[in-house]
Amino acid sequence: MCGLIGALLPEPSLARERIAGALATIAHRGPDHTGWWCSPDRRMMLGHVRLSIIGLDNGNQPLASSDSQVHCVVNGELYGYRAIRSVLQAENRRFATDSDSEIALQLYQKLGGEFVHQLRGEFALVIADQRRRCLIAVRDRFGIKPLFYTVRDGDVLVASEIKALLALGAPPRWDAAAFFAECHSVRTADRTLFAGIHAVPPGCVLVARDGRVEIRPYWDTDYPTREALAADGRSEADIVAGFREVLDDAVTERLVADVEVASYLSGGIDSSAVLGLAQRKLSRPIRAFTLTFEDELYNEERLAQQTAGWLGAKFVPVPVSQHDIAEAFPDALWHAETLVFNGHGIAKYLLSRAVRDAGIKVVFTGEGADEILGGYPPFRRDLLLHNTENQPPEEVAKLLDELDATNQASRGLLTADGEAAPGLAAFGARLGWTPSAIETLSTLAVKMYPFFSDGCRAAGLRADPYTELLDTLDVPGRLTGRDPLNQALYIWTRTLLPNFILTVLGDRMEMAHSVEGRVPFLDHHVAEYAAQIPVHHKIRGLREKHVLREAVRDCVLPDVYDRQKHPFMSPPARDTGDALSVFCQDVLRSRSVEDQPFFDPRRVRGLMDQVAAMEPAGRAAFEGVVLRIVSTCILQQRFGLAA
């Protein structure tokens, strides 16, 4: 896992000092080596910071072809590289390193643009082809690894993080429409909060030539039609066995490393399953790191410790307090480059710091299972509302009430709490229904409306973020005729998954401390298999991820097997003396409130008084509003963003 930058320029305008400065901003992604290459005319550049995991002694980058006409930098892991390497060597292709990254360069030379279909893993890479005078950037299929670009005065710049593009000369400015969409949790996967800076969408290739950029998709989730799923004749035993096989293979591939591989572990089935499958393949105990909180509603220490002991792993608790979260908040936001609505991302930042301090570079994570198998509460609600054939209405109503009652920790975030936002009719018009996740998260946005300046709110509503999202999706090709649950999963993977889950709970918090997260559930072989599973094998009543539970039943504790999904959240501020509450008050009474362009400072200061007067339950549900505004102020302060 590493960090990269690249440039294609009409004139040799990048000074060495600026290249070095950009690499310095992402040095946390690769503390083991820094290198860069410039073409003889200085119109092409690649830079790389390395976290050495495979080929420790000879895997430094940029990589070069034997004729020095093609160069490459890679961030991430490419699985199955040994078999590919053997085939290429049999064709008399010579490798200069032992790293997995070099197969990307060799495959490109052999196959041209088709090489992307041979890549498996979590990766972002950039190839500079001097013969064709083009820059080619590729992002993995789900956006596990970040990759950003900007085009300015004919310069095409790419980087692993936005801060590196700013260091290369991109101006720091807010994108007001993207900001408003982010507040509604429907920012499209190609947009960032920074004007003029875009993300390469997941599963896409960027081709830059002559100051122009073309985005070409090479992969997307393909759900069968509802009729095709209904005709699926496989037995449950066959489906479960097939899922176990692809998941086990994904875990096995991710054990390949020249350094120790550890694991994150919660009390849920996702991380427990990954740890269980991995531990069976090793003779040594895997170190399992678990966040612990003082508030028992959010603390999963007991189940995680029992799981680790039962599997033969080594349990390593990482206590995190509200004071710890408050203290780390600004630095974590600088790494995230986006808004947060809970302290769980900052807690993951602290978890990764503890992992690094323990001498670990690589960890398994359980992210992605909810996205491919319908784990979150809104997905269960969708199934109850839209797959109710032969189910009495009173039974559906009872299950919906139970779903709401058993997810108090995520009220207002993953279970509905309040008025829905205007504009949701766009989903009814285009899809015939509105996914529960979109509707639920819109209630958090509505709570923010009173604190926007009048002009910002009016402009944001005119931008119509819901219609904008739907306009970016291939509704006829990817959504029409699909089961509502699969439609909801698809939309989530195009918005919240790359923009939040894999950012604030994934790569950016891990790589802030030079830790590589490996995500077996988002192996594309696993995801493609899951897409073909009939929905009643994904969710049954309130029992989410049914096929996963059956597939790993021998690898998890009975209590974990039976446990309903509880989304990972950190405790909210409970009173005005809570360290996190004090931190928020300090930020919202600081100069940065005056500088940011979205919220009315007078109304924001009244917010703190309003929250202080709330009952604890109401204060917890309102925390998402407070933390999003706090995030805005911190990003304003740390990046000096212009309106």
Side-chain angles (χ1 to χ4, degrees), residues 409-425:
S410 56
R411 175 169 294 281
L413 297 175
L414 291 174
T415 57
D417 180 57
E419 176 188 353
L424 290 178

Side-chain angles (χ1 to χ4, degrees), residues 321-604:
S321 69
Q322 296 291 77
H323 177 270
D324 296 329
I325 291 175
E327 187 175 56
F329 206 110
D331 287 342
L333 258 290
W334 183 78
H335 285 282
E337 300 174 340
T338 191
L339 309 181
V340 303
F341 52 72
N342 182 260
H344 52 352
I346 290 78
K348 287 291 290 287
Y349 172 87
L350 295 167
L351 176 64
S352 298
R353 186 173 71 185
V355 168
R356 178 206 62 192
D357 291 346
I360 299 292
K361 288 184 175 183
V362 181
V363 292
F364 279 111
T365 83
E367 268 73 43
D370 296 307
E371 281 71 22
I372 65 172
L373 297 174
Y376 293 119
F379 300 143
R380 282 174 272 169
R381 183 175 186 270
D382 289 338
L383 195 78
L384 288 170
L385 291 175
H386 300 287
N387 294 81
T388 56
E389 293 87 348
N390 303 318
Q391 191 168 9
E394 59 272 16
E395 178 65 20
V396 173
K398 177 184 176 183
L399 290 173
L400 288 171
D401 288 342
E402 183 181 341
L403 178 66
D404 187 63
T406 54
N407 284 276
Q408 295 300 308
S410 56
R411 175 169 294 281
L413 297 175
L414 291 174
T415 57
D417 180 57
E419 176 188 353
L424 290 178
F427 285 92
R430 303 280 284 276
L431 303 182
W433 72 297
T434 301
S436 295
I438 300 292
E439 184 177 2
T440 296
L441 287 165
S442 82
T443 66
L444 175 58
V446 169
K447 290 186 177 73
M448 301 177 69
Y449 285 2
F451 307 102
F452 281 111
S453 67
D454 293 338
C456 177
R457 177 180 171 183
L461 291 173
R462 282 197 303 273
D464 194 356
Y466 297 122
T467 295
E468 180 181 347
L469 168 64
L470 287 165
D471 284 347
T472 68
L473 302 177
D474 178 8
V475 173
R478 298 293 174 179
L479 297 175
T480 301
R482 273 63 172 188
D483 189 276
L485 173 63
N486 286 336
Q487 291 184 13
L489 292 175
Y490 182 86
I491 292 171
W492 184 282
T493 61
R494 305 292 289 186
T495 52
L496 270 293
L497 179 62
N499 290 340
F500 191 82
I501 302 295
L502 296 175
T503 298
V504 175
L505 298 177
D507 173 89
R508 310 303 278 282
M509 299 300 98
E510 293 154 359
M511 289 303 290
H513 300 294
S514 310
V515 173
E516 171 183 290
R518 296 186 172 183
V519 195
F521 286 108
L522 294 183
D523 185 291
H524 73 280
H525 295 166
V526 176
E528 287 171 353
Y529 186 92
Q532 304 298 315
I533 296 175
V535 294
H536 63 276
H537 290 296
K538 296 178 181 178
I539 303 176
R540 291 192 179 175
L542 294 185
R543 190 172 192 262
E544 88 289 345
K545 294 178 287 196
H546 171 77
V547 67
L548 172 62
R549 293 175 190 275
E550 297 307 312
V552 299
R553 190 167 188 169
D554 60 323
C555 297
V556 299
L557 285 170
D559 285 353
V560 173
Y561 170 84
D562 290 326
R563 186 176 185 241
Q564 188 182 133
K565 168 72 180 182
H566 292 272
F568 167 59
M569 309 286 289
S570 71
R574 292 300 185 185
D575 55 58
T576 56
D578 181 286
L580 184 57
S581 179
V582 170
F583 168 76
C584 291
Q585 292 177 51
D586 289 345
V587 170
L588 297 183
R589 292 191 172 98
S590 71
R591 175 68 192 180
S592 59
V593 178
E594 305 288 342
D595 294 337
Q596 58 76 34
F598 304 112
F599 301 103
D600 183 297
R602 178 183 56 82
R603 296 172 185 171
V604 166

Side-chain angles (χ1 to χ4, degrees), residues 184-231:
H184 289 74
S185 303
V186 291
R187 174 164 56 91
T188 56
D190 64 323
R191 299 190 71 175
T192 76
L193 301 184
F194 295 72
I197 296 178
H198 305 274
V200 177
C204 286
V205 177
L206 174 153
V207 180
R209 185 183 284 111
D210 299 327
R212 296 187 299 273
V213 163
E214 180 185 357
I215 301 295
R216 304 171 182 172
Y218 70 90
W219 186 90
D220 201 357
T221 306
D222 186 15
Y223 288 105
T225 63
R226 202 167 187 177
E227 290 74 17
L229 282 180

